[in-house]
Amino acid sequence: WLINHHVIMSMVYIALLYPAWVARGWLPAPWSSAFLLGALPAAAASASLRLHVWFTATTFPEQFAEQQESTARWTRICDVLFAAVQMGAAVGISNRHQEFAMLFIAAAVAILIAALVIEPATARAAFPGRPQTR
């Protein structure tokens, strides 16, 4: 399940870039640029790290645990940053575009739960007895 988790999370990040592009036009300068310059690198980095772990798991399974452990902290930082940027944008657009604000808040909460609760639990289950990065 951990491998599937990484692929699904990568797809979620990539899918959320289009709504971010649309919503950036609703934010005043300099917040529109700050939103994109926060969302894009966080999404790109998290998706890249997660796809790297997926590739390792499928190509070099003996290195899966090590790569999961070595990328976990950076992936979590990207997840928290992306969620924070999504929440900030939601606040900025909520008066006029509640449907996008709801999308960003729901995505941010789901990403935080996935990053801080689901992924660590799944990693512990996948690698019992191995110390986990916090």
Side-chain angles (χ1 to χ4, degrees), residues 29 73 81 96:
R73 180 171 284 127
L81 175 61
R96 294 187 339 227

Side-chain angles (χ1 to χ4, degrees), residues 5 13 16 34-35 45 48 56 69 71-72 74 79 103-104 109 112:
H5 171 82
Y13 274 106
L16 285 169
F35 175 47
S48 295
T56 300
E69 184 179 343
T71 61
W74 287 107
D79 293 339
L103 171 67
F104 291 153
V109 169
L112 288 174

Side-chain angles (χ1 to χ4, degrees), residues 63-78:
Q63 295 180 20
F64 179 34
E66 181 182 339
Q67 290 303 310
Q68 170 66 33
E69 184 179 343
S70 71
T71 61
R73 180 171 284 127
W74 287 107
T75 304
R76 194 163 297 124
I77 289 168
C78 293

Side-chain angles (χ1 to χ4, degrees), residues 24 27-36:
R24 61 92 178 83
L27 293 165
W31 301 112
S32 58
S33 293
F35 175 47
L36 280 183

Side-chain angles (χ1 to χ4, degrees), residues 30-108:
W31 301 112
S32 58
S33 293
F35 175 47
L36 280 183
L37 294 176
L40 183 58
S46 183
S48 295
L49 289 167
R50 291 176 183 286
L51 292 174
H52 163 69
V53 172
W54 165 74
F55 174 81
T56 300
T58 57
T59 309
F60 308 107
E62 69 281 358
Q63 295 180 20
F64 179 34
E66 181 182 339
Q67 290 303 310
Q68 170 66 33
E69 184 179 343
S70 71
T71 61
R73 180 171 284 127
W74 287 107
T75 304
R76 194 163 297 124
I77 289 168
C78 293
D79 293 339
V80 170
L81 175 61
F82 190 76
V85 169
Q86 295 284 309
M87 287 183 192
V91 169
I93 65 171
S94 64
N95 284 338
R96 294 187 339 227
H97 300 281
Q98 293 177 348
E99 67 284 359
F100 273 74
M102 288 174 53
L103 171 67
F104 291 153
I105 292 294

